[in-house]
Amino acid sequence: MPKPAIKRPRVNVRRPDVMELVSAEVAVHYQSSLVEKIKDQDGKITCGNTTLLLAQDFGFCYGVERAIDLAYASRKVFPENRIFLIGEIIHNPEVNRQLREMDIVSLPWQEIDSSYDDLQPDDVVIVPAFGAPTSFMDKVEERGSYTVDTTCGDVMKVWRRVRGYAKDGITSIIHGKENHEETRATSSRALGIDGSGHFLVILTLADTDFLCEYIRGSGDKSAFLERFKGSYSDGFDPDLHLRKIGVANQTTMLKSETLEIQNRLATAIQDRDSAPDNFSVFDTICGATQERQDALFEMLKTRMDLLLVVGGYNSSNTAHLVEIGEKELPTFFIRDASQIKSLEEIVHFDLHQHAETTSNYANVFSGKEHITVGLTAGASCPNNLIEDTVRKVFALRGETLDL
Ligand code: SF4
């Protein structure tokens, strides 16, 4: 299809009059006075024989707040237009449900299908906080629709880094989940402005060790290409494209793991050719992810009986909070309070099985002894869901909160 005669500019929906209305609406949908009161009490609330600790940093980050504000503002600025969203604005079912209520329709984010061909110049397309691959942006531009880009500034920093790698002939090694929206968006930028760059996405320490062995010269090429199938750029040749590598990471990864990956790769390059210039690194974990992980480590210094982590199951930063917690104590990854079914039953997401499961913790919840429950939430979890969880815990313990 030819490019449209009119190229729509990016729209600034952040007008003061609009944002005033948006703030009021967002507050009604997502804020919680109870959570604010607990924060004012240094994150601790005790009622009867139950104490609840709230991490010092939890829930909505600045990037998520901005993305939600812009999505709400889009509907106000374009009350009559069709509004679409590439995938989900963030990884939280409640927030995405609210956007559907505003008649903001989700388009597929895995691939460009025929629904993109139906976009019209008066349509509005919202780009989520994770960003979108360049092919999606080009398609929306080609259709001439309005674009409201909510990509987080911290994600764009990663893009600048991998584009710089491509310009310098460096292959990007991206620590992330190959099928995560952000990593797909970042991978597309790692091809560089002229498309000549390369990337490889790795997720685990086992992936890293496999890659390190190849760098040291003892790997098998076909086994390498098979293992990482779907995780590298078109035309990627490990014999050619691992000469100079630069590491970047999805913004929401586990800090300790990312550092370990960087160290192992740096050592492998050093072992191979004693040329430090062939290895570049730039830590791209965002501040919000780091703060939530640090706050949880701090909270874990206090004895707790169990930990609840609230967030969408597909939320990467939330999953890493669960990983940190489950090393120390019984930890439950719940979408919302409704999953604490009863004193006997918690339905939660098992990261290892990649499925919901039900655990029986009757002894903890229904006993008469004093218990301490820890609570944190990922960067995409609104405070109203945290409040629901707090109230549910105390209600199941037979305590009435007078806050
Ligand atoms: S988690 Fe980090 S990168 Fe993602 S939206 Fe929040 S601040 Fe931005």
Side-chain angles (χ1 to χ4, degrees):
M1 151 155 316
K3 291 217 170 195
I6 305 170
K7 183 185 168 197
R8 295 281 193 200
R10 298 277 165 95
V11 187
N12 177 19
V13 293
R14 237 180 208 286
R15 298 192 326 235
D17 56 325
V18 171
M19 295 320 289
E20 200 176 319
L21 296 171
V22 165
S23 297
E25 201 171 350
V26 166
V28 169
H29 285 172
Y30 305 119
Q31 285 185 4
S32 155
S33 57
L34 173 65
V35 169
E36 294 307 320
K37 283 178 190 153
I38 299 174
K39 278 163 80 173
D40 288 345
Q41 296 176 190
D42 212 22
K44 181 174 178 179
I45 178 171
T46 298
C47 191
N49 63 356
T50 304
T51 294
L52 185 132
L53 299 179
L54 197 51
Q56 290 295 316
D57 279 294
F58 61 90
F60 275 0
C61 61
Y62 43 85
V64 162
E65 282 179 349
R66 177 175 168 275
I68 292 172
D69 284 355
L70 292 177
Y72 276 58
S74 302
R75 181 42 88 206
K76 302 229 173 298
V77 172
F78 296 100
E80 304 297 334
N81 301 53
R82 298 196 304 170
I83 302 186
F84 298 94
L85 166 65
I86 301 176
E88 299 185 323
I89 191 82
I90 56 169
H91 285 153
N92 188 279
E94 169 59 14
V95 176
N96 289 301
R97 186 190 68 75
Q98 291 283 3
L99 295 191
R100 282 197 298 278
E101 297 267 300
M102 290 183 218
D103 211 13
I104 295 176
V105 177
S106 198
L107 295 170
W109 63 269
Q110 293 90 345
E111 58 185 35
I112 298 171
D113 72 359
S114 58
S115 52
Y116 285 83
D117 292 326
D118 290 338
L119 290 172
Q120 302 300 317
D122 280 342
D123 292 339
V124 179
V125 178
I126 301 172
V127 181
F130 326 102
T134 50
S135 55
F136 285 68
M137 303 303 287
D138 291 347
K139 184 70 184 179
V140 174
E141 185 181 318
E142 175 193 297
R143 296 300 307 162
S145 305
Y146 292 103
T147 306
V148 176
D149 190 349
T150 81
T151 307
C152 180
D154 282 10
V155 173
M156 288 198 264
K157 269 190 223 161
V158 189
W159 296 353
R160 282 196 286 279
R161 175 59 47 169
V162 296
R163 273 193 167 132
Y165 286 157
K167 186 164 151 283
D168 295 338
I170 297 170
T171 295
S172 291
I173 305 296
I174 302 169
H175 176 216
K177 297 178 179 162
E178 61 166 339
N179 277 325
H180 188 283
E181 294 94 317
E182 182 192 315
T183 294
R184 284 167 49 98
T186 297
S187 300
S188 72
R189 270 81 186 179
L191 300 176
I193 303 289
D194 63 359
S196 64
H198 284 283
F199 67 84
L200 171 69
V201 179
I202 58 172
L203 179 61
T204 63
L205 290 174
D207 288 344
T208 310
D209 289 340
F210 197 91
L211 172 58
C212 288
E213 283 311 296
Y214 202 88
I215 288 170
R216 290 190 178 95
S218 57
D220 174 77
K221 185 167 170 176
S222 53
F224 184 98
L225 292 173
E226 185 56 31
R227 179 183 178 114
F228 292 112
K229 198 171 178 181
S231 303
Y232 45 76
S233 45
D234 287 347
F236 175 82
D237 181 337
D239 292 337
L240 297 177
H241 300 127
L242 294 175
R243 302 309 309 166
K244 290 176 96 171
I245 63 170
V247 184
N249 45 263
Q250 194 180 307
T251 54
T252 49
M253 301 310 277
L254 192 60
K255 173 88 169 182
S256 53
E257 195 170 60
T258 287
L259 288 176
E260 184 59 29
I261 284 170
Q262 292 167 5
N263 289 338
R264 290 187 193 188
L265 286 170
T267 306
I269 294 285
Q270 186 71 27
D271 289 349
R272 185 188 66 191
D273 46 25
S274 306
D277 287 354
N278 288 342
F279 179 79
S280 308
V281 67
F282 186 75
D283 182 0
T284 53
I285 288 184
C286 76
T289 296
Q290 189 57 58
E291 284 159 16
R292 279 149 191 71
Q293 290 176 11
D294 289 347
L296 178 54
F297 281 121
E298 192 57 35
M299 189 165 76
L300 288 169
K301 291 177 184 166
T302 304
R303 197 201 68 77
M304 297 181 284
D305 295 280
L306 77 158
L307 177 69
L308 298 169
V309 183
V310 192
Y313 290 167
N314 51 353
S315 164
S316 166
N317 78 89
T318 314
H320 292 309
L321 295 175
V322 176
E323 270 179 58
I324 291 170
E326 68 184 12
K327 288 197 173 85
E328 306 293 330
L329 78 170
T331 298
F332 303 99
F333 186 176
I334 58 172
R335 217 168 13 214
D336 55 44
S338 70
Q339 295 189 263
I340 311 173
K341 298 290 179 193
S342 71
L343 292 174
E344 288 77 30
E345 204 185 359
I346 302 175
V347 179
H348 61 104
F349 191 72
D350 185 321
L351 290 178
H352 312 283
Q353 307 294 328
H354 302 288
E356 247 183 12
T357 184
T358 302
S359 288
N360 188 319
Y361 263 75
N363 294 343
V364 174
F365 266 134
S366 60
K368 297 288 178 222
E369 300 299 313
H370 192 111
I371 68 162
T372 300
V373 177
L375 179 58
T376 188
S380 46
C381 181
N383 278 359
N384 61 322
L385 297 188
I386 298 169
E387 169 168 343
D388 293 347
T389 307
V390 173
R391 292 196 182 282
K392 188 78 174 268
V393 167
F394 282 104
L396 290 175
R397 292 283 292 169
E399 311 289 0
T400 308
L401 277 181
D402 52 9
L403 287 176

